[in-house]
Amino acid sequence: MVLFPEKFKLRKSLRQVIRRNIFELRVDTSFREVITNCSRIPRPDQNETWITSGIIEAYIQLHKLGYAHSFESYFEGDLVGGLYGLSIGNCFFGESMFFTKTDASKVALYHLVQFALKHNFSFIDAQQATDHLKSLGAEQISRPEFLTLVEKALQSETLRGKWTDLI
């Protein structure tokens, strides 16, 4: 499942949350906390997480190298939602997201989409086909279509480093 940034569906309720500035958005300031929270949040139909301590440490290294990034939602100074993933070429491979306060992860995703639009990302790989992501504009594509998109995206330079100052 992929989300083309220009096809993101901003629902009225999310627009209101964003307009009211309920959450403070930060980028690349709490990567370890985001991935750790993603590993701890219970998921329907999953008994355990694929985000093991080894995966966490590998992604932290990718973050230090400037390839892995996090979008973080804060409420009253506390991290309450976010997502992380890899940037390669002009695409973003979303790995996981979490929230402990309603709409926090959606706000982080909205800001990722805005970042992707600003920096000409061709798509965001959402990986898991969910009704939630579909409602936000993500769509299922075939494997050959996906591989063609990735091949094309890899022809662009990767936007590396901390994205904190680029939002």
Side-chain angles (χ1 to χ4, degrees), residues 96-123:
S96 190
M97 57 194 322
F98 84 97
F99 69 93
T100 58
K101 185 164 179 58
T102 302
D103 294 326
S105 62
K106 286 187 243 178
V107 168
L109 178 60
Y110 167 80
H111 285 288
L112 168 59
V113 168
Q114 297 309 302
F115 184 90
L117 287 167
K118 180 179 177 181
H119 295 282
N120 299 311
F121 279 50
S122 58
F123 69 95

Side-chain angles (χ1 to χ4, degrees), residues 41-48 99 128 130:
I41 297 295
R43 314 252 181 212
D45 303 323
Q46 292 180 2
N47 294 329
E48 57 187 38
F99 69 93
Q128 297 294 319
T130 66

Side-chain angles (χ1 to χ4, degrees), residues 21-128:
N21 284 322
I22 293 170
F23 300 102
E24 174 192 355
L25 179 86
R26 299 181 198 168
V27 178
D28 285 343
T29 64
S30 299
F31 187 86
R32 180 183 290 274
E33 291 82 1
V34 169
I35 192 170
T36 300
N37 275 295
C38 287
S39 75
R40 293 180 179 156
I41 297 295
R43 314 252 181 212
D45 303 323
Q46 292 180 2
N47 294 329
E48 57 187 38
T49 181
W50 65 273
I51 308 172
T52 63
S53 59
I55 293 286
I56 291 171
E57 293 309 315
Y59 273 90
I60 288 170
Q61 288 306 310
L62 288 166
H63 176 67
K64 289 177 182 176
L65 293 170
Y67 291 102
H69 303 279
S70 59
F71 283 71
E72 310 137 9
S73 294
Y74 287 81
F75 180 76
E76 297 179 352
D78 293 325
L79 178 65
V80 293
L83 61 86
Y84 77 95
L86 295 174
S87 172
I88 303 172
N90 73 345
C91 58
F92 188 85
F93 296 89
E95 295 297 334
S96 190
M97 57 194 322
F98 84 97
F99 69 93
T100 58
K101 185 164 179 58
T102 302
D103 294 326
S105 62
K106 286 187 243 178
V107 168
L109 178 60
Y110 167 80
H111 285 288
L112 168 59
V113 168
Q114 297 309 302
F115 184 90
L117 287 167
K118 180 179 177 181
H119 295 282
N120 299 311
F121 279 50
S122 58
F123 69 95
I124 298 166
D125 176 24
Q127 295 184 20
Q128 297 294 319

Side-chain angles (χ1 to χ4, degrees), residues 129-149:
T130 66
D131 290 337
H132 169 67
L133 289 170
K134 191 175 181 182
S135 76
L136 296 172
E139 55 193 80
Q140 196 74 22
I141 62 172
S142 70
R143 181 173 173 78
E145 287 175 290
F146 179 74
L147 294 175
T148 299
L149 284 174

Side-chain angles (χ1 to χ4, degrees), residues 27-29 63 66 69 160-166:
V27 178
D28 285 343
T29 64
H63 176 67
H69 303 279
R160 286 186 55 205
K162 292 254 182 184
W163 287 356
T164 308
D165 299 326
L166 300 176

